[in-house]
Amino acid sequence: MRDALGLTGAALTPGAQRSWWLREALADDPGAECPPLDRDITADVVIVGGGFTGLWTAYFLTELNPKLGVVVLEQDICGGGPSGRNGGFASGWWDELHGLVTLYGQEAAVRSCRAISASIKEIGEFCELHGVDAWYRAGGYMYAITAAAHERLCEEMVELAREVGVPEELRALTAEEVRTRCASPAFRGGAYMRDGASVQPARLARGLRRVVLGRGVTIHEGTTVSRLDRTTAVTPRGSVRAKHAVLAVNAWGVGWPQLNSRLVAWSSYIVLTAPAPDRLREIGWTGGELISDFRVSLRYFRTTPDGRIAFGGGGGRARRTVDDMFTRDARAVAETAEGFRLMFPSFAGVPIEDAWGGPIDVSPNHLPTFGRLADSNVYYAAGYTGNGVAPTRIAGRVLADLITGSDTDAVRLPMVNARSRAFPPEPFRSWGAMVVRRAMIAKETAEEQGRRPGFVAAQLARTPRRMGYLLGPD
Ligand SMILES: Cc1cc2nc3c(=O)[nH]c(=O)nc-3n(C[C@H](O)[C@H](O)[C@H](O)COP(=O)(O)OP(=O)(O)OC[C@H]3O[C@@H](n4cnc5c(N)ncnc54)[C@H](O)[C@@H]3O)c2cc1C
């Protein structure tokens, strides 16, 4: 059965299954069993969370010291969270220059972007080295202008790259150049960032799991950590007493007092079409580019080797805890599908076969921070704000270096132990996020349709910036 938006089967019941990526990865290789923890054990390092952050941390720890006892505790299965649900955009940070320069100054901003560029390349090298077939494809990242109001944003983004001395990293594209890479009637011009690779994210997460297991890391899946007593992780049927603990819990950080004030949990959804390689050829989208628009309520899309489009962008709802809304929001799926149909009318006859969602950990600066909690041996990485595929590898490197006391370039990145603004307390935080989101969508929809946004919506959408957060429109 297909509904009016072409949604079929699994797509109509988001969250009734794992993401398509994860099902595909598990069918290829279910991996070794990692049963739940059922007794008290000890370790050098206990890591809470088996996504990219936790697994890269385990990877780098074992690289630095193969003798370290490392235990990963994951409430679901590794890659069951956003690491196995995301769009698979391993993208550069050159489009984040404005925030980075504002926070850390020009030199540190460029250094941070270069670290992300290296991370993207190294993910490909990791896959090659360890035989992880994560469909890695370095096709770059194209920004597409879909509203006149975005032309200025595009110019400013390209201009800033020029100002800080890296014009080769971001260059403007004419409407014709955009059409050559991907012909959508919605695109009016854009920009190209050469740093960008697509991955099958669940294959990467499960590949990392295989590699760290091979290095002697212990993983207990189906094991929820209820609290940390200093560096002892407490779970329902056992505990891990360790010298160091890592909180790698992403948006679930809203439930941890150590991280709560710097995060909002925000939903994001993806729809996936049936394979349609001929249609992709017709619109010229064969270069593997990652693509997004300029909206704050971002729409982002990429292709797969068998000719599907994965299109993200619905959701955007905030919650105080990570609940069902993040995986079973049928309205968000319909909104995402609507966005897809708008941008790719030539795919009208192609069904949308799957859909899924997950939580993202929005930070006050739109950028993550990594570090050590004050007066403790507890480490964290949080605030990826929906851009974690490349940064989590750096987070893992940084946390491993901090834990082992290694003095490296990674620990001197400006987001390491950076002080971050706090969000207002609940219930104002989720309530405020909801009001601002509605205003942003109203503003951006009006702009896209060539209308003038309403005064109230335009003002409300700017509230976060006026409060000093690096979020939302100027
Ligand atoms: C729909 C969607 C699309 C996205 N698209 C992109 C993209 O294209 N590019 C990009 O760069 N980023 C994207 N992101 C963001 C990206 O997925 C994340 O930033 C990244 O995966 C973060 O990795 P992580 O390991 O920190 O978090 P996660 O993958 O969320 O891992 C955290 C893990 O901790 C576990 N956990 C939580 N609490 C506990 C507990 N108490 N006990 C035990 N385990 C616990 C969770 O089950 C989870 O598996 C997207 C996110 C979503 C949801």
Side-chain angles (χ1 to χ4, degrees):
M1 196 190 78
R2 283 169 65 173
D3 79 349
L5 286 165
L7 293 159
T8 65
L12 288 164
T13 51
Q17 73 292 310
R18 298 198 173 284
S19 74
W20 184 88
W21 302 131
L22 187 53
R23 297 197 324 272
E24 196 282 333
L26 290 172
D28 183 65
D29 178 10
E33 281 279 297
C34 289
L37 180 69
D38 60 1
R39 65 206 154 87
D40 295 338
I41 59 173
T42 59
D44 293 304
V45 185
V46 61
I47 298 172
V48 186
F52 290 147
T53 302
L55 295 170
W56 281 123
T57 306
Y59 178 80
F60 286 115
L61 280 169
T62 48
E63 196 154 273
L64 286 166
N65 181 354
K67 293 208 183 94
L68 274 183
V70 181
V71 175
V72 177
L73 302 176
E74 166 55 50
Q75 62 187 1
D76 184 3
I77 63 170
C78 292
S83 293
R85 292 175 170 269
N86 62 69
F89 280 46
S91 47
W93 261 6
W94 303 105
D95 55 352
E96 297 277 4
L97 267 173
H98 178 70
L100 285 163
V101 172
T102 307
L103 289 170
Y104 307 125
Q106 188 165 314
E107 180 277 325
V110 172
R111 193 156 38 90
S112 305
C113 292
R114 295 236 184 271
I116 292 288
S117 309
S119 173
I120 297 171
K121 206 163 133 266
E122 286 158 9
I123 290 172
E125 288 164 2
F126 164 87
C127 291
E128 191 75 33
L129 181 66
H130 296 285
V132 174
D133 180 11
W135 306 355
Y136 182 89
R137 185 172 183 194
Y141 189 131
M142 183 169 84
Y143 262 102
I145 297 172
T146 56
H150 299 163
E151 279 163 16
R152 182 181 58 88
L153 296 180
C154 185
E155 276 165 27
E156 286 173 358
M157 185 177 83
V158 171
E159 179 53 33
L160 184 55
R162 198 174 306 133
E163 268 174 34
V164 304
V166 292
E168 67 285 4
E169 300 295 352
L170 261 176
R171 63 184 176 83
L173 297 179
T174 62
E176 187 48 40
E177 285 171 322
V178 167
R179 247 194 310 279
T180 314
R181 288 179 182 273
C182 177
S184 157
F187 302 166
R188 322 153 152 233
Y192 183 74
M193 174 163 65
R194 63 180 180 180
D195 278 342
S198 58
V199 292
Q200 204 285 37
R203 279 178 170 249
L204 179 58
R206 301 296 294 179
L208 263 166
R209 176 188 187 269
R210 168 172 64 74
V211 172
V212 299
L213 281 172
R215 290 179 169 199
V217 170
T218 303
I219 300 179
H220 292 290
E221 296 181 328
T223 303
T224 303
V225 177
S226 55
R227 64 176 199 280
L228 286 179
D229 276 347
R230 291 173 180 274
T231 47
T232 297
V234 180
T235 83
R237 291 168 58 209
S239 65
V240 183
R241 191 152 57 84
K243 296 180 193 121
H244 305 272
V246 175
L247 279 175
V249 292
N250 191 16
W252 285 266
V254 293
W256 288 80
Q258 299 93 326
L259 302 175
N260 172 278
S261 68
R262 44 180 113 174
L263 298 176
V264 171
W266 190 264
S267 65
S268 187
Y269 275 77
I270 292 178
V271 296
L272 182 78
T273 68
D278 295 347
R279 302 281 171 98
L280 283 180
R281 269 192 294 278
E282 278 162 31
I283 61 169
W285 192 10
T286 53
E289 294 90 343
L290 307 167
I291 308 181
S292 79
D293 62 14
F294 278 92
R295 292 161 35 123
V296 177
S297 48
L298 190 74
R299 291 182 180 133
Y300 52 98
F301 23 104
R302 44 82 52 99
T303 54
T304 62
D306 63 350
R308 299 168 190 268
I309 294 179
F311 186 100
R317 295 188 173 84
R319 278 280 201 281
R320 285 193 220 186
T321 52
V322 178
D323 60 17
D324 263 12
M325 190 275 296
F326 292 93
T327 47
R328 289 172 189 271
D329 185 349
R331 184 153 58 114
V333 172
E335 286 164 5
T336 314
E338 231 169 273
F340 169 71
R341 296 292 179 208
L342 188 81
M343 293 215 178
F344 295 100
S346 64
F347 278 62
V350 179
I352 291 172
E353 281 190 352
D354 223 292
W356 61 90
I360 64 177
D361 55 343
V362 176
S363 78
N365 301 331
H366 204 263
L367 289 163
T369 48
F370 323 129
R372 177 180 181 160
L373 295 172
D375 305 321
S376 77
N377 276 344
V378 179
Y379 301 79
Y380 69 93
Y384 297 105
T385 318
N387 180 355
V389 175
T392 45
R393 183 177 158 92
I394 298 183
R397 170 99 252 172
V398 166
L399 300 185
D401 288 348
L402 290 174
I403 289 168
T404 55
S406 312
D407 183 16
T408 60
D409 288 345
V411 299
R412 283 190 288 276
L413 286 169
M415 63 285 308
V416 177
N417 288 320
R419 289 172 70 87
S420 136
R421 271 184 77 99
F423 279 121
E426 293 291 5
F428 305 107
R429 192 185 318 173
S430 324
W431 183 81
M434 186 184 71
V435 172
V436 169
R437 169 189 174 271
R438 280 202 192 140
M440 275 179 201
I441 290 178
K443 175 178 178 290
E444 296 187 322
T445 305
E447 286 169 350
E448 227 166 47
Q449 294 171 352
R451 290 183 286 117
R452 221 182 139 79
F455 178 77
V456 176
Q459 296 306 312
L460 279 173
R462 292 193 179 98
T463 315
R465 293 267 167 189
R466 291 194 176 142
M467 291 174 71
Y469 301 113
L470 297 182
L471 295 170
D474 273 326

